[in-house]
Each structure stands twice: as structure tokens, then as C-alpha cells.
Amino acid sequence: MNSTIPSPHIPPTKHTHACVRCSDRKVRCDKQTPCNSCVRHNVQCIFHPPRPPRRKRGSGRDELVDERLKRYEALLREKCIDPNEVPGISEAENRGMTANGCSDPLKPVWKQPQATVFKPQLLVGQNGTELVDNSLWSRVAEEVHDTEAALGGESANEASDGDAFNDDFTYLLTWKPHTLASSHPPAAVIHQLWQTFLENVNPLTKLVHVPTLQSAIEKAITKIELVPRGFEALMFAIYSMAVLSLREDECKEIIGEARAILLPRYVAATKTALSRAKFMSSTSIVVLQALVLHIMSIRDDYEPRAVWSLTGVAMRIAEGMGMRLDGALLGLSPFETEIRRRIWWQLNMHDFRAAELCGQAKFRNFTFDETTPKKPANVNDSELYPAMPQPAVESIRPTEMIWCMFRSELVVFAAGLIARMPKLGKIAFTSEEYTAMDNLKVKDAFVKELEDVIETKYLRFCDPSQPLQFMVLLGARLSTNLIRFIAHHPRRWASLDQVPVSEQQFVWGIVIQLLEQYSMMQSSSQLRRFAWNVPYFIQWHAVIHVLDTLRANPLHLDSVKAWKLIGNLYENNSELMLNMKKPIFVAVGGLCLKAFDAREAALANEDRIFTRSPEYITKLRDQREGAKARRETTRTKIKVRAVPDNDEIPKTMENEARWPDTNSDLEERRDGAQPQINPLGHTRTGDDAFWLNDALEGAGAVNMMELDIDGILSQDYWLDNLGGEVIDWEQWDAWLSNGNTDPIP
């Protein structure tokens, strides 16, 4: 009968040194066999025997040093110099000297401590990288036993859904804990969306490396329920951008559903995925790529200040990952360095425009020095791969990066001007200060210098038959025209009477060219796939100047051409231009109607035949008629609720609900009196009014922000003060920087 004899329990051997993996990672090892760190990461634990101690050097060299030291001290005494009083000898050395100046072998000789300078370093872990850039963290960096624990505890995929509310700002994206596997489209649709992204979006963003991402997408499709949370956020962001780049008819043809349904669906899914990936505390490049693409997908629909704030969040995340320093300085691989440069530059360029749309200074906080990440390399994705031993050789010819290279060239040029201005004794250069400069020769010289740089580096190599290169050609012409318009901005003049005729014609020619270039970018069949990127960069000051000129001079020589371009602008951006949520579009629409009404009246006075009104004019008028009807209904309800049996409204109630839409209100405004409610938002409402006002009686009053848009639509009194003289650019600046109350994306 065989019996099993249990083997005696052999306790794990404890070594006197760390295992190979813990030693390489510079983390603490418990020195067990195997160690807990290797067990936790499911890797082989290997212990190599410690190296034999180095042999001590012979004492012959020390004796030689002592002999020379004694001889030098004797020579000093011959010169009447006491070696103990020589400057530079520390107190510790003095204490170690004997009375005759010789070193006492029984006492240690202390050396002066050496000062150390902390250098930035990256903590690299499974979830990404985090920059350590101060001496506080440098003291604990080497003591961290697990990088993931130091950067946030559990990894994003191991954390439970409920934990997201405790250690991340998930309320920003209105996150709901549920699985997203069912939100992914079928595999065939994912392939279609991915291909659309590659053709329409990737050439203008270059945030991802296509060859490596292609294989990852294919793998994700086969096991969609096992996709890591960060990569899932990137997939949904790609879906959103792909749908955004399609027109309504293209969306139905390619995907089979309406664009108005698909885009909100994938934007919402991206929000949820980003929150599940804990984007606010993430150090993952993939999560940051998803966040940047998400911001681009919502920038046209959400309130500009919310987009700018969320862009600031992305900037902080990137800075925490060390992206404000060039990857080569941090010892990163050439491949990762290049990807980080692309992300950093794209994020900064978006931040500049987002700030501008919020009324903030452009380029004010941008610095370009030896530590700033270099511009992305002018190379194709096929020349980059993760294991590349050295950076790819840049091409002097156009590559896939030409659009991003061209845009970064504009930023570098602006940064150079900012750095140059103090040396010339000028003010620090920003977009506003550039406009305010009186020296047109200096500003025109800037534009000419920029044209020469762009022509030399890019335009002379561009082939108009290639869509992306044609886009660069148009974009370059548009950019230089835009800078010229800013240099010669009409706000430089107090009234139209002071503007020389030649200057009026020059500025008019520039703004007409701008509208032509915007129209071509959106209407050309060759550039149609890139049209989604144009609305965000439309120069509204140029549009306002054209409409104001047509209002003041309805029968301008170029009025027919100008109205055709305005019609193209409304046709190509109907969802944007007819938006009733943002004051800027409502205000532009009001100015457009005033200009069109002036044209109708001028043609009628000359007995000229006038064709029927364009469709966008009809829609603008219907919007305003509808707003008037809604306001009348609101006023009636307030009257009935206040005094149902009397036509007289108490003074306090009338002041709360009253909007200046009568002739008496207009007269008061012309006489210099301010109306009760200012459409520019100067009157405090909501939370600020609650604590800044002396009384709290208005706490239950009607929210005037909700009435603001209808008030603008129903009455154009705020435009009546133009009087044909000159447009109030300060008023329009307020509209440009004033948004709606949409929730933050």
C-alpha cells in the first residue's frame, strides 16, 4: 500500500540584495523568492549573485599624498603663512589638524559637502509617465515601491466604477457608471468610421500614429468588451470626429443613420469613456489623445469659454506628463518624443484660438526656448516606428505633416515677433497690441516677412492637384490676408469720414478675399472632406465689416458679389449661422437683416426689380417673428400672474420683467440713459446678483439670461445707435466673447 508522504514546507529564501527587475525599475524589493512585486506583475523573478567587493587601493598613493602635503605645508611656513589660517579650509578640517599642521591619522578628515542640482525626471509606469520637476518629489521618487501606486493607486482598468466619483472630477463630463460595449457600432461601421477619420480628420490633426493604431483598432474590434478604458475613449473620440467630418447626406450613405443622431451619441459615449478612464488624473498618452479629439468634436457647438476651460485642463494634463519639455531632454525614445511633440503643438495651437474666441490675448503665454518641444518633424507616419533607434530624417518636400507644419510655422513666427519687440523698445507683441500699433509700415513688413517664410518653406513645393497641399495653399493666402486685415482693422478710425478712400478700398478688398477663401475651402469638391475644420476659424470681424459696409452703402459696387459670398457662408454653415443659442450668431443675423433691408429699400427707391429673398433671410426673419411672439406671450403671463384683475403691473414686477422694446426705451438709450437690461450682459444676474445686490427681493425673479436671446431677436435697438457712422467694435467684441449657458462638455 502506497502512502503519500507530504514534503516538508520549505520557507522562501530571503536574499541580501534586490532582484533584477526591481533593481532595473529602482523600486523596493522584499528580497523573497519570488518577491511580491514580481508576483504581482506576473513576471519571472531572477536574483543574480552580488558582485564581489572591489579591492581596496594600496596605501602607497596615500603615503605619497601625505608626503607632498607635509612638504607644501613646510614651504608655506617658510613664507610665514600658517596653513591652518589659509582661506577655504572648513571647520571640520581645522578640527582634524594637529597643532603642528599635520593630519592626525586617528581623527577623520571631513570633506566639504558637494551641492547637488535637481534635474527633471520622468516616472514611467504601466499607465503612462509623470514628470517630477521639484526637489520635494525627488526625495521620494527612488523610494516608491510601485509606480502605479504613487501615481494614483489602482490602474484605470482595475478600479471599480464607483471609485471614479472619489478620485476624479467626473462631474465635468456627466459620467454615468455603465458598460460601453453595447455603444460601439458594428465592426463594419467601425471600419467605415476609421477610414473616414484617416481621410478627413487625421491629415489636419496628426495626433495619432496610424500604422501602430491601425493594428490596435483591428485587435479591439475582435474583442470589443476587453478594450482598455483609455483606448476605448480614443475609439469613441475617433467615431465622433469621423461623424463630424461628414455632411448629412454622406452620413446616411456611409453609416445609414442621421448625422444629428450619431454625433450626440458618440460625443456622449466619449464623455463616459473619458470619465471611466479617469482622464483628470491620467498620465496616459492615449487618454490625452482622446481628450484632445473630444474637445475638437464639441468646439463648434459648446460655449467658447467652456471649450477654453476644458482645453486648459488638457494643457495641465500634458504638462504633468512632461510635455512642456522636449522628449529628447527627458531621455525618451525618438518615437515617443515625436508623438509627444505632435500632441503638444496641436494642443497649444487649439488653445490659442479658443482663447481668442473668449476675448483673451492670443500667444500671450507662449514661450519658445531651448527646452520647448521642437516642432513636429516633417516626415510621414511610415518613417516612424516604436523601436526606431534615432529620429527620422526630415524631408524638404511636402509630407503628410504639411498642414500641421504650416500652422506651427505661424506660431513660431508670432513667437519670434514677441521676443523681438522688447529689443526694439516696443511693447510685448500680442494680437491686440498688433492691431493697436499705428505704424502700418512696421505691420506690413511683418506680413511680408511671413509671406516670404511660408513661400520659401512650403508653398513653392505644393501641388494644387493634391487636396492637402491645395488646402495649405489656400490656408496660407487666408492667413496672410487675415493678418493684413487685423493690421488695417477699421477700429483704428473714429469714424468713416476719417478713413481715406484708398484705405477703405484696401480693407474691402481684403475682407472680400477672405470670404472667397472661406467659401472655396468649404465648397470645393477637392477640399470638401476638410470643410469641417473651417467654421471654427472664420474671422467674424471680417464678416461684420462686410455686413456693416453693405448696411451703410447698400448699392456698393461689389454688393452683388458680397451678398453672394454672404449667402455661401450661410449655406455652408447653416447649423452654425442660424444658431439661436449663441449671441454672436444672433447679433450677426440681426446685422445681416439690417443690411438686407437697407438694400431692399435702396433698390425700391430706384425702381429696380428685386428678386425674392434668399432662404437664409427668410429663416432669420422667421426667427425674430417667433421671438416677438414668445416675448408677448411671456409678458402676458407675467401680467396675469401679477394682477389678474387689473391691467396695471406693480412697479417692482414690471422692472423685473421689462425689456426695452418700446420707442421710449430707444429714446432713453439715444439720450444716454442705460436700459434696465443690457444685452451685452453688463447687468448682473443669477448668482452674482444674489450676493452683490443690496436686496434679495429679486431672488425669485425671471432669469433674464433665459430671456436674453429672445430679447436680442425681437428687438434690434442695440444696432440702432450705429446711425451709418461707424460700427461699435467694443460692442461686437463683447458679443464675440459672450457665450451661452450650455453645460461644460
Side-chain angles (χ1 to χ4, degrees):
M1 181 175 179
N2 296 330
S3 61
T4 304
I5 301 175
S7 59
H9 175 70
I10 302 176
T13 304
K14 187 166 184 177
H15 296 264
T16 59
H17 54 278
C19 70
V20 174
R21 187 172 186 273
C22 291
S23 177
D24 291 341
R25 297 176 65 226
K26 292 184 173 60
V27 299
R28 182 171 296 171
C29 180
D30 61 7
K31 303 175 184 178
Q32 300 293 336
T33 307
C35 71
N36 288 335
S37 178
C38 291
V39 172
R40 184 165 59 255
H41 292 90
N42 195 22
V43 297
Q44 185 179 4
C45 186
I46 302 174
F47 285 91
H48 286 318
R51 295 180 180 179
R54 295 182 179 180
R55 292 184 300 174
K56 295 183 179 180
R57 295 180 179 179
S59 59
R61 182 177 180 84
D62 295 336
E63 294 175 355
L64 179 61
V65 171
D66 289 341
E67 290 179 1
R68 289 183 177 179
L69 180 61
K70 292 178 181 179
R71 186 166 69 251
Y72 296 153
E73 289 177 349
L75 292 173
L76 287 172
R77 289 190 179 90
E78 290 179 2
K79 300 294 183 181
C80 300
I81 299 175
D82 187 355
N84 296 330
E85 297 179 359
V86 175
I89 298 180
S90 65
E91 294 181 2
E93 289 176 322
N94 285 331
R95 287 194 300 266
M97 293 289 183
T98 59
N100 58 3
C102 298
S103 175
D104 187 347
L106 300 179
K107 295 183 180 180
V109 179
W110 299 98
K111 295 183 178 180
Q112 182 76 16
Q114 295 182 351
T116 58
V117 178
F118 173 73
K119 295 181 180 180
Q121 57 181 299
L122 286 179
L123 296 180
V124 182
Q126 290 183 335
N127 292 332
T129 58
E130 182 175 359
L131 180 68
V132 175
D133 200 8
N134 63 56
S135 57
L136 171 65
W137 272 91
S138 72
R139 297 296 301 165
V140 299
E142 295 183 358
E143 300 298 326
V144 175
H145 66 87
D146 192 336
T147 305
E148 288 75 26
L151 300 183
E154 300 174 88
S155 66
N157 289 327
E158 294 173 349
S160 63
D161 288 340
D163 292 341
F165 290 102
N166 298 327
D167 58 3
D168 204 14
F169 297 96
T170 51
Y171 62 87
L172 282 175
L173 299 179
T174 59
W175 179 76
K176 296 180 181 179
H178 67 274
T179 178
L180 286 170
S182 59
S183 302
H184 288 275
V189 176
I190 295 179
H191 282 291
Q192 288 282 1
L193 291 172
W194 170 241
Q195 193 60 36
T196 301
F197 176 85
L198 293 182
E199 294 176 359
N200 299 356
V201 180
N202 183 61
L204 302 186
T205 58
K206 299 305 295 179
L207 285 167
V208 300
H209 182 244
V210 174
T212 54
L213 189 57
Q214 175 79 48
S215 59
I217 291 286
E218 296 291 344
K219 182 168 61 175
I221 293 175
T222 59
K223 296 181 179 179
I224 203 71
E225 68 282 354
L226 300 179
V227 175
R229 292 181 179 179
F231 192 81
E232 187 172 49
L234 179 59
M235 291 181 70
F236 278 113
I238 288 173
Y239 303 160
S240 301
M241 289 299 298
V243 173
L244 175 69
S245 69
L246 295 173
R247 300 192 311 274
E248 184 65 38
D249 56 334
E250 293 174 330
C251 202
K252 289 183 178 179
E253 179 183 352
I254 295 176
I255 306 177
E257 288 191 72
R259 183 178 182 271
I261 297 175
L262 286 175
L263 187 56
R265 178 193 302 170
Y266 291 138
V267 167
T270 307
K271 293 179 183 180
T272 302
L274 282 169
S275 294
R276 280 165 48 88
K278 299 184 179 181
F279 77 104
M280 290 284 285
S281 56
S282 173
T283 57
S284 167
I285 286 182
V286 170
V287 174
L288 182 58
Q289 288 170 323
L291 178 58
V292 177
L293 288 175
H294 170 67
I295 294 173
M296 291 183 177
S297 70
I298 51 90
R299 66 187 183 184
D300 290 332
D301 295 328
Y302 282 82
E303 192 269 324
R305 194 165 294 276
V307 175
W308 184 45
S309 298
L310 192 57
T311 304
V313 171
M315 293 285 292
R316 285 293 180 268
I317 295 172
E319 288 177 359
M321 297 169 61
M323 286 194 182
R324 64 178 176 80
L325 302 174
D326 193 78
L329 300 177
L330 298 174
L332 296 174
S333 67
F335 176 80
E336 186 174 351
T337 296
E338 180 61 28
I339 299 300
R340 289 163 69 97
R341 288 172 181 171
R342 291 184 179 186
I343 297 173
W344 179 252
W345 277 81
Q346 188 67 241
L347 190 53
N348 272 272
M349 289 187 289
H350 185 276
D351 184 54
F352 298 149
R353 178 58 175 168
E356 186 178 27
L357 290 178
C358 292
Q360 303 299 310
K362 198 174 184 180
F363 307 126
R364 184 178 294 279
N365 296 323
F366 183 76
T367 56
F368 194 77
D369 54 32
E370 63 277 0
T371 65
T372 305
K374 296 180 181 178
K375 289 192 303 181
N378 186 33
V379 296
N380 294 319
D381 278 6
S382 59
E383 300 176 62
L384 304 174
Y385 55 96
M388 57 191 300
Q390 56 188 10
V393 179
E394 293 198 51
S395 173
I396 60 172
R397 295 286 178 175
T399 66
E400 299 167 0
M401 287 291 296
I402 186 170
W403 175 260
C404 295
M405 295 295 297
F406 154 70
R407 291 193 63 207
S408 62
E409 193 68 49
L410 298 178
V411 175
V412 171
F413 182 80
L417 291 181
I418 294 172
R420 190 192 314 173
M421 294 304 290
K423 298 178 182 179
L424 300 177
K426 305 292 183 180
I427 52 179
F429 182 91
T430 68
S431 54
E432 308 81 30
E433 293 156 347
Y434 178 74
T435 303
M437 287 173 59
D438 291 329
N439 194 333
L440 285 178
K441 290 185 178 180
V442 174
K443 293 194 283 190
D444 289 339
F446 288 158
V447 181
K448 184 64 171 63
E449 182 180 350
L450 177 61
E451 280 184 322
D452 293 341
V453 170
I454 295 177
E455 180 68 36
T456 302
K457 287 190 174 183
Y458 304 100
L459 302 190
R460 66 191 180 106
F461 299 115
C462 288
D463 180 3
S465 64
Q466 300 296 320
L468 186 60
Q469 297 178 33
F470 184 38
M471 185 77 169
V472 173
L473 283 170
L474 270 180
R477 307 302 183 207
L478 189 149
S479 299
T480 52
N481 278 331
L482 180 56
I483 298 175
R484 281 199 179 92
F485 172 68
I486 295 175
H488 295 260
H489 200 289
R491 72 192 318 152
R492 297 174 54 249
W493 307 94
S495 66
L496 290 177
D497 296 338
Q498 300 180 9
V499 185
V501 176
S502 59
E503 183 72 6
Q504 292 184 35
Q505 294 174 347
F506 180 76
V507 174
W508 176 261
I510 292 175
V511 293
I512 290 297
Q513 287 182 28
L514 282 172
L515 293 186
E516 286 177 335
Q517 288 156 351
Y518 286 130
S519 179
M520 186 175 296
M521 280 186 167
Q522 293 187 289
S523 304
S524 171
S525 58
Q526 193 177 3
L527 301 178
R528 190 168 296 165
R529 58 179 175 165
F530 302 139
W532 64 270
N533 191 52
V534 178
Y536 192 67
F537 297 95
I538 292 176
Q539 176 51 244
W540 294 111
H541 276 197
V543 178
I544 294 166
H545 178 69
V546 170
L547 290 173
D548 185 53
T549 303
L550 293 174
R551 180 194 59 81
N553 186 6
L555 300 181
H556 193 283
L557 291 176
D558 286 336
S559 60
V560 175
K561 180 179 182 180
W563 277 112
K564 182 178 179 180
L565 292 172
I566 293 295
N568 291 343
L569 194 66
Y570 270 93
E571 181 181 352
N572 294 328
N573 306 279
S574 58
E575 295 180 6
L576 197 68
M577 302 290 287
L578 297 174
N579 189 331
M580 295 175 60
K581 293 183 179 180
K582 295 186 179 181
I584 177 58
F585 301 122
V586 178
V588 169
L591 182 58
C592 182
L593 284 180
K594 282 192 171 294
F596 198 82
D597 291 343
R599 177 172 174 77
E600 285 184 328
L603 292 175
N605 289 337
E606 296 189 358
D607 295 327
R608 292 167 62 177
I609 300 175
F610 188 80
T611 57
R612 65 184 181 88
S613 301
E615 184 179 357
Y616 69 92
I617 293 292
T618 303
K619 290 182 178 179
L620 289 173
R621 286 171 174 167
D622 290 343
Q623 285 179 348
R624 280 142 184 82
E625 290 299 322
K628 289 180 180 179
R630 288 192 298 272
R631 286 193 58 74
E632 286 301 321
T633 302
T634 302
R635 290 170 65 87
T636 303
K637 289 181 179 179
I638 292 175
K639 287 181 180 181
V640 172
R641 186 169 63 248
V643 246
D645 298 328
N646 196 330
D647 291 337
E648 218 175 38
I649 302 178
K651 233 17 171 175
T652 55
M653 194 68 180
E654 183 181 3
N655 288 339
E656 289 173 359
R658 182 168 173 261
W659 189 274
D661 57 355
T662 63
N663 291 332
S664 61
D665 289 325
L666 298 180
E667 291 301 326
E668 289 179 4
R669 180 172 173 82
R670 293 188 183 102
D671 292 340
Q674 291 297 324
Q676 290 269 329
I677 300 297
N678 190 328
L680 293 179
H682 293 164
T683 300
R684 297 188 185 278
T685 60
D687 297 334
D688 284 354
F690 183 86
W691 72 276
L692 288 174
N693 288 352
D694 294 333
L696 299 180
E697 286 81 359
V702 179
N703 184 355
M704 298 310 298
M705 285 302 293
E706 296 177 359
L707 300 178
D708 186 42
I709 297 298
D710 275 353
I712 303 167
L713 286 167
S714 59
Q715 292 295 332
D716 291 330
Y717 76 90
W718 50 275
L719 285 173
D720 289 347
N721 67 336
L722 297 178
E725 293 298 325
V726 67
I727 195 166
D728 185 354
W729 285 107
E730 291 185 1
Q731 189 178 53
W732 282 101
D733 286 341
W735 283 115
L736 286 166
S737 61
N738 188 22
N740 59 10
T741 55
D742 283 352
I744 190 170

